[in-house]
Amino acid sequence: MDPKMWVYILLGLYIIYCFWWGLRGFFTEKKAAGYAIAGRSIPFIAFLMAATAASFSGWTFIGHPGLIWKAGLVYAYASFYVLTIPITGAFFAKRNWLMGKRYGFITPGDMFAYYYNNEAVRWLTVIAAFLYSIFYSGLQLIAAAKLFYWVAGVPQTFGLIFMAFIVWFYVVTGGLKASTWVGVLQFCLLVGGIILLGFYTVTSPLFGGWSGFAQSLSGLEDKYMQVPGLIHFGLGTGGWTAVMILTYMFALMGIQSSPAFTLWNFGIASPKPLAWQQVFMSTFVVGLALFFFTAFQGMGARILMMAGELAPKVDGDVVPMLMTKFLPGPVLGLVFLGAIAAIHSTAAPYIGTGGTIIQRDVWWRYVRKQGGSHSEQIWTNRIFATILAAAAVIVSLTSSDAIVMIGGFATAFGTIMYLCLMGVHWGFRYPSVGVVLGLLAAIVACFLTYYVWKYPLSIHTAGWGIFVGLAVAYLCRGIGIKDSQETIDRQKEVREWLDSVDGPSEKGKVWRSRMKILVPLWYLLALGPGVLIGNTAITFCGFPPIWAWQIIWWIVGIVMMWALCFKAEMSTTSEEQIRRADVETMDVTKEAD
């Protein structure tokens, strides 16, 4: 059978599955919260797998090996986002759920506006969510178009619109619950596809197995095998310096601090899956796929290019070319489906949650003055999700940058939400005016350091965004701007309740004091200046020093995440905490008429 037939057969089955969940939601979801946050009923296994798929996406499947091909194992340090993404979840996800249960929040704008007693924070959250959604979803569609072109010969524009239509359909019909349950299948396909393509690449006769592959690596130029330095004084990256690698990880930390993930946290039935998602599914399972199999793909493509066997023009060409070169028919269809699933796993929840945020925080609150039925809210939500999907298509059709770098710019708008989350969940003190001005300054800084002066001092856009945001917020505090007494009292009540319901045990306190030292130390050695040691530090089993250094700190990172999430109790939840969240409610959010 023609390999393309396998692609179309498996794609057809996948579309049927997606459309079934969309139509099921269309006929069953009748309440605004049911459509927007799945009625706070997303079960353990669904969130465990869907949230992991949404965190890593088509950017990981297609863009990550592509940039390893382009920059070498220097860029493979980005694989550490299997740790930095869930670290953000460890800081905020459980407390997002607790706040949603107690106060009835549906959108992150609800939570931030209530805590800071300032509606401008809501508007800026909407802006951040909109920018994040269109750029991040847009890059997924770019990846889909390239993949469809190389594997099936479908023109890129047509492939992009077709893939966008599939996402749009099950998102607007079924809501968050449909996106989540489709994400369960997408996780399996994503991880399986990465591993299969990496396996077929490294075991190809062109390499002669691992020993031949490792021998070929030794012949590559140093620029592909060593971090060029600590910092670059000037504009542009100056290569993947230690500072660029570290601050690029700040961008990827923004995935689980984005407004979309905060809203998703409100929708889960229980926070029980959080620790397992962060430690096992993300750090271990996806880490295994990235630190080995995406590197096999990216470096394999570099070696094949030097040997005249492959000729990618841009990073998005690498994975589709490897697929058509190495995979037999059924496997080609399965890996193709894995890539499409990876792309949809992120585009879907960001388009869906972005539509919910705009509908609830702008249309329902200000245009309809908190009026309107459940039915009206669901249909207007669908309209705004459609607008976001169209905007994402426009971004993808007009962008020429590398897939991964667009993603880094998009996730920077999630990173700047640290400013709000640190105050709400951990009591960082700056006045509400400072939060508003800080967010505004952070958004401006993100655009300036990407479109005008790109990456000054080889610091990524996200690093500049959060630095400027915090600096402005604390400057407002420093010059003596004060909150109203109502705001102070409201924040005090939130702080006292969170501290009482989520205070660590005595053992947890000991582990938290340890993690305050160990986590920053890990960042410095695994991602910061320590990467320069990794250029020549150690080698084993044929892995060159830079790759060996990454594997060592990934293994250390697994232990660190286990200690952070379980021993320090950052992500674990007791039955008493869940009981209190269920009964100690103080709903401040109106759902519908």
Side-chain angles (χ1 to χ4, degrees):
M1 186 187 294
D2 186 343
K4 289 183 181 179
M5 287 304 298
W6 285 103
V7 169
Y8 286 114
I9 289 170
L10 292 175
L11 180 61
L13 293 173
Y14 171 76
I15 291 172
I16 291 170
Y17 179 80
C18 293
F19 281 20
W20 184 84
W21 273 107
L23 292 171
R24 186 176 187 272
F26 182 84
F27 290 112
T28 58
E29 297 297 348
K30 301 302 181 184
K31 291 189 175 182
Y35 180 87
I37 55 173
R40 306 187 197 274
S41 66
I42 296 171
F44 186 110
I45 190 65
F47 182 82
L48 193 69
M49 301 174 75
T52 307
S55 297
F56 296 100
S57 73
W59 168 8
T60 297
F61 201 108
I62 296 177
H64 191 68
L67 215 55
I68 293 176
W69 158 77
K70 184 176 181 180
L73 285 169
V74 180
Y75 177 75
Y77 274 105
S79 298
F80 278 111
Y81 61 25
V82 301
L83 283 117
T84 60
I85 290 173
I87 278 176
T88 293
F91 291 157
F92 304 125
K94 178 174 64 170
R95 292 198 165 197
N96 281 336
W97 182 84
L98 289 168
M99 291 286 286
K101 286 290 285 186
R102 176 167 170 81
Y103 298 101
F105 300 136
I106 293 175
T107 68
D110 288 336
M111 181 169 69
F112 299 145
Y114 176 77
Y115 184 80
Y116 293 107
N117 198 20
N118 191 318
E119 285 297 306
V121 182
R122 184 191 303 274
W123 282 94
L124 289 169
T125 303
V126 171
I127 292 171
F130 175 77
L131 293 171
Y132 191 119
S133 295
I134 62 170
F135 282 107
Y136 203 51
S137 300
L139 82 92
Q140 309 298 328
L141 298 175
I142 294 171
K146 289 182 178 294
L147 182 71
F148 220 10
Y149 171 74
W150 280 108
V151 175
V154 176
Q156 289 196 30
T157 301
F158 177 81
L160 187 151
I161 294 172
F162 179 65
M163 290 301 164
F165 170 75
I166 297 170
V167 174
W168 169 84
F169 183 86
Y170 74 81
V171 167
V172 301
T173 53
L176 186 63
K177 185 178 288 185
S179 296
T180 302
W181 278 107
V182 171
V184 172
L185 174 64
Q186 289 165 340
F187 169 79
C188 300
L189 292 169
L190 183 158
V191 175
I194 290 173
I195 292 174
L196 279 172
L197 182 57
F199 174 79
Y200 273 90
T201 300
V202 78
T203 57
S204 164
L206 292 173
F207 295 112
W210 170 246
S211 58
F213 189 91
Q215 181 63 36
S216 299
L217 287 175
S218 63
L220 295 178
E221 298 175 63
D222 284 348
K223 67 178 182 179
Y224 299 116
M225 308 299 285
Q226 293 186 0
V227 176
L230 179 64
I231 191 171
H232 169 68
F233 292 98
L235 300 180
T237 64
W240 286 91
T241 64
V243 168
M244 181 63 179
I245 290 169
L246 179 63
T247 54
Y248 182 56
M249 289 300 101
F250 292 171
L252 303 181
M253 290 172 70
I255 290 175
Q256 288 202 12
S257 59
S258 66
F261 253 89
T262 299
L263 186 148
W264 210 350
N265 293 154
F266 293 156
I268 57 178
S270 162
K272 291 288 187 181
L274 293 174
W276 291 98
Q277 189 275 324
Q278 292 153 14
V279 179
F280 180 71
M281 300 298 277
S282 179
T283 302
F284 176 71
V285 175
V286 182
L288 183 69
L290 264 60
F291 279 100
F292 295 98
F293 294 94
T294 58
F296 293 156
Q297 296 169 35
M299 297 310 293
R302 170 56 56 184
I303 295 166
L304 291 173
M305 181 178 174
M306 294 178 66
E309 296 284 347
L310 209 68
K313 294 181 179 180
V314 294
D315 63 316
D317 294 344
V318 170
V319 167
M321 285 185 170
L322 290 174
M323 289 169 61
T324 55
K325 188 174 187 66
F326 291 124
L327 301 182
V331 180
L332 176 64
L334 193 59
V335 174
F336 172 82
L337 204 57
I340 295 303
I343 291 161
H344 286 176
S345 70
T346 297
Y350 283 101
I351 290 172
T353 58
T356 294
I357 289 168
I358 295 171
Q359 190 277 329
R360 288 283 306 180
D361 288 334
V362 178
W363 177 265
W364 184 76
R365 178 167 288 273
Y366 289 100
V367 177
R368 297 288 287 132
K369 307 297 183 183
Q370 299 191 59
S373 66
H374 288 281
S375 177
E376 179 187 324
Q377 289 192 61
I378 291 172
W379 277 103
T380 51
N381 197 328
R382 288 175 173 142
I383 291 171
F384 287 116
T386 302
I387 292 170
L388 276 178
V393 169
I394 292 169
V395 167
S396 60
L397 289 173
T398 57
S399 178
S400 59
D401 280 5
I403 293 171
V404 167
M405 302 319 292
I406 301 170
F409 174 64
T411 56
F413 295 107
T415 304
I416 64 175
M417 300 313 297
Y418 261 64
L419 179 64
C420 298
L421 290 165
M422 290 191 305
V424 172
H425 295 320
W426 298 105
F428 282 69
R429 298 193 60 79
Y430 17 75
S432 61
V433 171
V435 172
V436 172
L437 296 178
L439 276 178
L440 188 60
I443 291 170
V444 172
C446 286
F447 275 98
L448 290 178
T449 56
Y450 188 79
Y451 285 111
V452 182
W453 306 293
K454 199 160 191 174
Y455 310 142
L457 301 179
S458 68
I459 296 174
H460 190 272
T461 295
W464 284 111
I466 190 60
F467 170 77
V468 169
L470 286 169
V472 170
Y474 275 110
L475 179 62
C476 290
R477 176 183 171 181
I479 62 177
I481 295 177
K482 303 290 186 183
D483 282 324
S484 67
Q485 189 60 46
E486 180 187 2
T487 304
I488 293 170
D489 292 342
R490 182 178 294 184
Q491 292 182 359
K492 181 181 178 182
E493 187 276 328
V494 171
R495 292 265 58 77
E496 289 176 348
W497 186 78
L498 274 179
D499 291 343
S500 71
V501 77
D502 192 38
S505 66
E506 291 303 316
K507 287 184 178 179
K509 290 178 181 178
V510 172
W511 276 98
R512 288 191 184 188
S513 64
R514 293 170 180 169
M515 300 316 292
K516 288 177 182 178
I517 299 171
L518 294 177
V519 172
L521 184 63
W522 180 87
Y523 265 83
L524 289 173
L525 291 173
L527 296 170
V531 300
L532 300 177
I533 302 172
N535 283 342
T536 56
I538 188 173
T539 182
F540 55 81
C541 301
F543 292 101
I546 189 172
W547 200 345
W549 188 257
Q550 292 164 7
I551 293 170
I552 289 168
W553 286 102
W554 166 59
I555 294 170
V556 173
I558 294 171
V559 178
M560 179 189 74
M561 283 300 298
W562 165 78
L564 186 69
C565 294
F566 286 97
K567 304 302 287 186
E569 302 171 5
M570 294 293 288
S571 297
T572 54
T573 313
S574 68
E575 293 300 326
E576 176 61 15
Q577 285 176 300
I578 294 174
R579 185 197 66 78
R580 287 187 60 186
D582 282 334
V583 300
E584 295 178 10
T585 56
M586 196 176 85
D587 200 332
V588 297
T589 305
K590 182 181 177 183
E591 183 180 342
D593 286 343

